[in-house]
Amino acid sequence: MTAAGHPEQLIPVQVRHLAHPPLDASMRCRIAPAPSGDLHVGNVRTALYNWALSRRHGGTFVLRVEDTDRSRVSDEAFAAAQDVLRWMGLDWDEGPGVGGPFEPYRQSERLAWYAEAADELERTGAAYRCYCTPAELAQRRDQALREGRPPGYDGRCRSLAEEQRVAFEVEGRTWVLRFRMPPGATTWDDLVRGEITIEHSQIPDFALTRSDGHPLYLLAAAVDDVGMGMTHIIRGEDLVAATPRQLALYAALGHPQERWPAFGHVPLIVGADNAPLSKRNGEVSIAWYRAHGFLPEGMVNYLSLLGWSPGGDREVFDSGVLVAEFSTDRVSRNPARFDLRKLEALNGDHIRALDEADLASRLAPVLVGSGLSVTPELLRAAVPLVQTRMSRLTEAVDLLWFLLVDEAEFEIEEHARAKALGEPAGGVLRAVGEAFEALPSWDAQGLEDTLWSVGERLGLNRRKVSAPVRVAVTGRTVSPPLFESMVLLGRDRTLARLKAGTAV
Ligand code: GLU
């Protein structure tokens, strides 16, 4: 059979997908990660926008896991992806662990749907078996590039004669199902970028399955997006080229255009060097940020700003503001530059905005995880010492080490010792220790007044008298406020450390 056997496929089609489903409770948005490892900044920013859009209008947010490529998606990655989304506060209404009317939501468990669609596409002639081997494809691709032709699939198997097809099968060749892209053009009204037209001459026939029959992304996502009734799909700009292919699949599968979702493509996230954010120019894994002391509130705030902004010049906000105000027309078309300093600054703002009990409960696992032991009472008392001094929770480990460390393991940092505990320091510490010992009570004001008066007596300015005390008591040149620190450390431990500090 030749291509003429499918004349309907040769009539150019002008696809115009300009209508948008309404922004109301009938909305269905989704995030469809293919987690081969940790979810990255780009995945989660996309999740955040889809979540906010559906939440804003009272619609439904769906989590679908694109794991048809079993070699890549482990059960650990599947579980970790859900964990990260939950940590970020991105709850889903349908999906793994929650269920829903379109169960299952894990594509590896939906293979029958894709197989059925593939069969239908083959039966109607919308797709054909392609017997080209990877080596042949590579060779023809190289040749095309050498001759200045487009390197995509050249249509070799598009209209194979039946004898040729049989001959290939007899030869033992395997095949993939390839979509017969009709000539013409597709235009859609992108929720972010406005009208986009792509000529089909730019779109070579594309593979729908692998040679083992497993569905590829374009097919599986097209089947599920319409099958699960998605109405609005926000996704990365790297998928602009997938859109005309997926719309062509919807048409070929007979889905009426009123049921096609609207698409919005959000800009790339780039690093400081303007190259797409990747391990080479930044940290991409959300799990990394979580492990390095970033709050989900800080991440939500910062990731929201990577391509979107609320009205006015508000920079610090929570997910409530995102949900109340998110709209695709405020999403930028320009690449968003990831700036760790700015994330840290926002994270610090969110740390300062927490109430003390909340901050204490978030610090506890960080401190315990780094080997320090802490009682709830002590931690509650210590929170005010550090709350305004951190841009990451993990900084509390260094700041509170002096207080939480086992006394037997307390050690003065070498460079701090060299800097502040030189020759005259022994006398200073002895005098301060004696004066502190004589105090009738142990409070910050009393300690402060006493220290300054010892300084005056010794003819030392405040910096000179406090520096050796800080180093002897906290082991560092930088610490939380000294007098409050000594109050929390307590009389005995403070006096013992001052005494130990005199042994220089
Ligand atoms: N699995 C795709 C990704 O993680 C989803 C693409 C889509 O949203 O259609 O990039």
Side-chain angles (χ1 to χ4, degrees), residues 30-35 39-40 43 46 50 64-67 72 107 217 221-222 225 233-236 238-239 242 246 263 265:
R30 50 72 162 176
I31 177 71
L39 284 195
H40 57 75
N43 297 135
T46 304
N50 282 290
R64 182 176 80 222
V65 178
E66 303 209 318
D67 63 342
R72 290 197 314 138
Q107 285 191 328
Y217 157 72
D225 282 333
I233 294 177
I234 312 289
R235 60 184 182 182
D238 52 322
L239 290 162
Q246 289 174 331
F263 287 86
H265 293 90

Side-chain angles (χ1 to χ4, degrees), residues 125-182:
Y128 57 90
R129 294 184 185 189
C130 167
Y131 293 87
C132 299
T133 65
E136 287 168 347
L137 292 172
Q139 190 257 324
R140 288 188 340 246
R141 188 190 146 83
D142 290 348
Q143 188 173 346
L145 285 172
R146 274 198 306 277
E147 293 169 6
R149 288 182 287 115
Y153 185 68
D154 57 6
R156 177 77 55 105
C157 295
R158 211 174 207 235
S159 43
L160 279 187
E162 184 60 13
E163 314 81 78
Q164 182 64 73
R165 210 181 61 71
V166 171
F168 279 153
E169 302 248 340
V170 170
E171 223 180 277
R173 286 189 183 228
T174 54
W175 50 270
V176 303
L177 198 64
R178 209 176 266 288
F179 188 72
R180 187 189 306 277
M181 192 68 196

Side-chain angles (χ1 to χ4, degrees), residues 6 8-9 120-128 178-182 208 248-249 252-253:
H6 307 286
E8 73 285 358
Q9 296 292 343
E120 183 185 337
L121 292 169
E122 190 183 359
R123 198 174 57 244
T124 59
Y128 57 90
R178 209 176 266 288
F179 188 72
R180 187 189 306 277
M181 192 68 196
L208 299 171
L249 280 168
L253 289 167

Side-chain angles (χ1 to χ4, degrees), residues 40-45 88 267-278 281-286 288-290 294 298-307 334-347 392:
H40 57 75
V41 163
N43 297 135
V44 173
R45 192 255 326 239
M88 293 279 294
L268 273 181
I269 301 174
V270 297
D273 55 359
N274 287 333
L277 189 69
S278 73
N281 60 3
E283 287 298 339
V284 289
S285 145
I286 298 292
W288 184 90
Y289 292 95
R290 184 179 183 179
F294 290 88
M299 296 303 293
V300 164
N301 190 163
Y302 185 64
L303 294 184
S304 302
L305 289 171
L306 285 178
N334 301 321
R337 182 161 316 121
F338 193 91
D339 177 353
L340 185 60
R341 298 280 157 270
K342 182 155 176 200
L343 167 58
E344 283 178 331
L346 281 176
N347 202 57
R392 304 181 187 195

Side-chain angles (χ1 to χ4, degrees), residues 167-485:
F168 279 153
E169 302 248 340
V170 170
E171 223 180 277
R173 286 189 183 228
T174 54
W175 50 270
V176 303
L177 198 64
R178 209 176 266 288
F179 188 72
R180 187 189 306 277
M181 192 68 196
T186 294
T187 300
W188 76 95
D189 187 22
D190 195 274
L191 294 163
V192 173
R193 309 181 66 86
E195 238 175 74
I196 298 180
T197 296
I198 296 185
E199 300 291 336
H200 295 182
S201 55
Q202 308 297 314
I203 307 178
D205 290 353
F206 54 92
L208 299 171
T209 62
R210 291 193 313 213
S211 59
D212 62 4
H214 248 67
L216 290 170
Y217 157 72
L218 286 166
L219 174 64
V223 167
D224 284 345
D225 282 333
V226 177
M228 294 181 169
M230 294 304 148
T231 60
H232 296 76
I233 294 177
I234 312 289
R235 60 184 182 182
E237 194 181 87
D238 52 322
L239 290 162
V240 164
T243 300
R245 291 164 168 83
Q246 289 174 331
L247 296 182
L249 280 168
Y250 300 162
L253 289 167
H255 296 301
Q257 201 168 341
E258 313 82 77
R259 290 183 44 213
W260 297 4
F263 287 86
H265 293 90
V266 297
L268 273 181
I269 301 174
V270 297
D273 55 359
N274 287 333
L277 189 69
S278 73
K279 282 199 184 114
R280 270 172 287 109
N281 60 3
E283 287 298 339
V284 289
S285 145
I286 298 292
W288 184 90
Y289 292 95
R290 184 179 183 179
H292 286 78
F294 290 88
L295 299 179
E297 291 91 334
M299 296 303 293
V300 164
N301 190 163
Y302 185 64
L303 294 184
S304 302
L305 289 171
L306 285 178
W308 176 82
S309 56
D313 47 14
R314 280 170 301 163
E315 291 247 288
V316 186
F317 53 85
D318 62 16
S319 61
V321 170
L322 178 69
V323 167
E325 301 192 23
F326 183 79
S327 72
T328 50
D329 41 71
R330 290 195 67 88
V331 175
S332 160
R333 299 176 186 196
N334 301 321
R337 182 161 316 121
F338 193 91
D339 177 353
L340 185 60
R341 298 280 157 270
K342 182 155 176 200
L343 167 58
E344 283 178 331
L346 281 176
N347 202 57
D349 287 327
H350 284 278
I351 287 177
R352 285 187 285 283
L354 294 176
D355 72 44
E356 289 179 3
D358 191 356
L359 178 53
S361 71
R362 302 200 203 203
L363 286 175
V366 174
L367 296 167
V368 170
S370 68
L372 296 171
S373 55
V374 59
T375 62
E377 298 72 39
L378 186 56
L379 184 54
R380 276 301 294 280
V383 157
L385 260 51
V386 296
Q387 183 157 23
T388 58
R389 292 181 169 71
M390 293 184 292
S391 54
R392 304 181 187 195
L393 295 176
T394 41
E395 288 165 46
V397 173
D398 259 3
L399 287 169
L400 293 177
W401 172 84
F402 81 96
L403 179 64
L404 304 177
V405 66
D406 195 278
E407 201 58 26
E409 283 167 29
F410 176 78
E411 259 180 12
I412 293 169
E413 266 182 4
E414 228 16 84
H415 86 275
R417 179 188 295 282
K419 199 163 163 201
L421 298 187
E423 198 25 60
V428 175
L429 293 178
R430 209 166 304 130
V432 171
E434 280 164 13
F436 282 177
E437 201 164 0
L439 280 171
S441 70
W442 194 255
D443 59 79
Q445 193 59 57
L447 290 167
E448 179 170 5
D449 294 344
T450 305
L451 185 64
W452 301 153
S453 71
V454 171
E456 269 169 38
R457 188 149 48 78
L458 300 177
L460 297 172
N461 67 24
R462 290 183 170 193
R463 204 177 47 78
K464 283 238 155 63
V465 73
S466 62
V469 173
R470 183 186 305 277
V471 168
V473 170
T474 70
R476 318 264 159 118
T477 53
V478 178
S479 77
L482 180 58
F483 305 108
E484 284 81 359
S485 294

